[in-house]
Amino acid sequence: MKKNYLSIDIGGTNVKYAELDNGGHIIEEGKIKTSQKKDQFLENIDQIVEKYIQKGVKGLAFCAPGKIAHTKIHFGGALPFLDGIDFAERYQKYNIPVAVINDGKASALAENWLGSLKDMKNCAAITLGTGVGGGIIVNGQLLNGAHFQAGELSFLQLNMKEPGFDGFAGGYASAVQMIKKVNRAINNEDEMDGLAAFEAINKGKEEARKIFDEYCKRIAAIIIDIQAVVDLDAIAIGGGISAQPIVVEGINQAYDKVLAGNKLIRETFTRPKIVEAKFKNGANLYGALYNLFIHVNGEKL
């Protein structure tokens, strides 16, 4: 029997939402700008929820930035006003299941359910954006950790010489910062122009390619760090820039260069497959829904 659910992806810029059935098919979708004021934000979410409650959805699935313990958000990442919000508590009056998950973990669930990591028992998803999001699955279980912090890849320290957060993956391996550097190098006044940046990279412009190659090297370092701890079969690369084929290609090349230059790593580690994520920026809606299925219906990865 088909049942429909509401999935809501809370992002720093937009709130995306969709009505999906239990096979992961989108019935209806939309998005609104993310209000930066808590009261207005919650009012907007209430309106979306109320609309789909009236349509008879059988559950509410949320994903959001920040550390999420059960259904309560802590810190809120780029949206600090989310700290302390518990959507299950807020919507308990509707008497339907509510589940909440971190956005990086949602991406991993989406890829494992219906995407490029489908049915794999040991895998991960990396989301490249302002920071570095992540979700890791080991022995068929999503890793949460003792404090619900497992998979927070932005907090991997990659360069101890850089001050503050700049030496951690969230700053040192930021796709947004890479694009800004490329645009400055090609004298493009719009530092956020991703299309112009990748046009220069794809054409092999020396300064652009140098910055991009260094970026791929940093992502390869993250993958090696992950592999040293959890030993995976495959890692899916997502986020907006992953739509550019050169991104996954460049990361694979950077990883192979590390292996070529280090016999110990080459002979000790089994190389994981590094693949393009299927869902790009839409992953979170699917992953949030599958998280609901896991917690409510006892679905297995």
Side-chain angles (χ1 to χ4, degrees):
M1 177 181 175
K2 290 288 185 182
K3 296 181 180 180
N4 291 356
Y5 303 83
L6 174 62
S7 185
I8 298 178
D9 173 17
I10 299 166
T13 303
N14 295 304
V15 173
K16 301 174 186 176
Y17 58 93
E19 179 185 3
L20 302 98
D21 66 22
N22 51 2
H25 303 104
I26 290 179
I27 310 301
E28 181 177 290
E29 62 184 323
K31 70 178 180 179
I32 59 171
K33 289 290 184 184
T34 304
S35 174
Q36 302 302 308
K37 295 181 179 180
K38 182 177 181 180
D39 290 344
Q40 183 61 58
F41 168 83
L42 288 173
E43 183 179 328
N44 293 344
I45 299 298
D46 287 346
Q47 289 173 356
I48 295 169
V49 169
E50 179 64 28
K51 173 184 175 181
Y52 287 93
I53 289 292
Q54 295 299 321
K55 291 188 69 175
V57 295
K58 302 301 183 183
L60 305 176
F62 292 87
C63 80
K67 183 174 83 169
I68 297 173
H70 305 295
T71 55
K72 181 180 257 188
I73 302 171
H74 297 271
F75 312 122
L79 299 171
F81 64 80
L82 294 176
D83 184 44
I85 291 176
D86 187 329
F87 286 114
E89 183 179 276
R90 187 173 183 84
Y91 299 121
Q92 63 182 343
K93 62 183 179 182
Y94 294 120
N95 293 314
I96 60 174
V98 180
V100 190
I101 190 172
N102 166 269
D103 47 11
K105 291 181 174 66
S107 294
L109 289 184
E111 294 299 326
N112 193 240
W113 180 28
L114 297 169
S116 59
L117 304 174
K118 184 172 172 59
D119 297 332
M120 290 188 181
K121 299 297 184 185
N122 295 280
C123 55
I126 298 176
T127 305
L128 305 177
T130 303
V132 183
I136 300 170
I137 294 167
V138 174
N139 295 330
Q141 297 290 324
L142 180 69
L143 287 185
N144 287 307
H147 309 98
F148 297 93
Q149 294 171 178
E152 291 287 348
L153 303 180
S154 279
F155 294 91
L156 287 172
Q157 190 164 28
L158 300 182
N159 187 346
M160 295 183 69
K161 294 180 181 179
E162 290 285 345
F165 196 61
D166 288 344
F168 290 80
Y172 197 65
S174 164
V176 169
Q177 293 304 316
M178 181 271 290
I179 286 170
K180 286 182 178 180
K181 288 179 183 177
V182 170
N183 279 314
R184 286 196 292 266
I186 63 175
N187 297 315
N188 182 5
E189 292 183 1
D190 184 359
E191 292 186 351
M192 297 297 292
D193 189 344
L195 292 177
F198 273 100
E199 182 180 1
I201 292 165
N202 282 308
K203 287 183 176 178
K205 290 189 176 180
E206 184 177 353
E207 284 305 308
R209 189 65 201 227
K210 183 178 178 181
I211 294 166
F212 176 71
D213 287 346
E214 173 60 26
Y215 173 76
C216 291
K217 181 179 176 182
R218 295 175 185 186
I219 303 303
I222 291 172
I223 293 173
I224 289 171
D225 287 349
I226 294 170
Q227 196 68 353
V229 178
V230 287
D231 185 20
L232 306 176
D233 289 319
I235 294 177
I237 306 297
I241 69 167
S242 67
Q244 297 281 342
I246 199 171
V247 171
V248 172
E249 177 185 319
I251 295 168
N252 271 293
Q253 289 174 352
Y255 195 100
D256 288 338
K257 283 182 180 178
V258 174
L259 297 185
N262 192 308
K263 183 179 179 181
L264 180 60
I265 295 176
R266 184 172 68 251
E267 295 188 357
T268 303
F269 275 20
T270 299
R271 188 197 194 287
K273 293 180 181 177
I274 303 171
V275 299
E276 183 181 324
K278 176 180 178 179
F279 289 110
K280 310 296 186 296
N281 286 332
N284 293 347
L285 292 171
Y286 295 95
L289 177 59
Y290 197 61
N291 180 57
L292 178 69
F293 294 163
I294 290 170
H295 288 283
V296 175
N297 299 336
E299 300 269 345
K300 295 183 178 180
L301 290 178

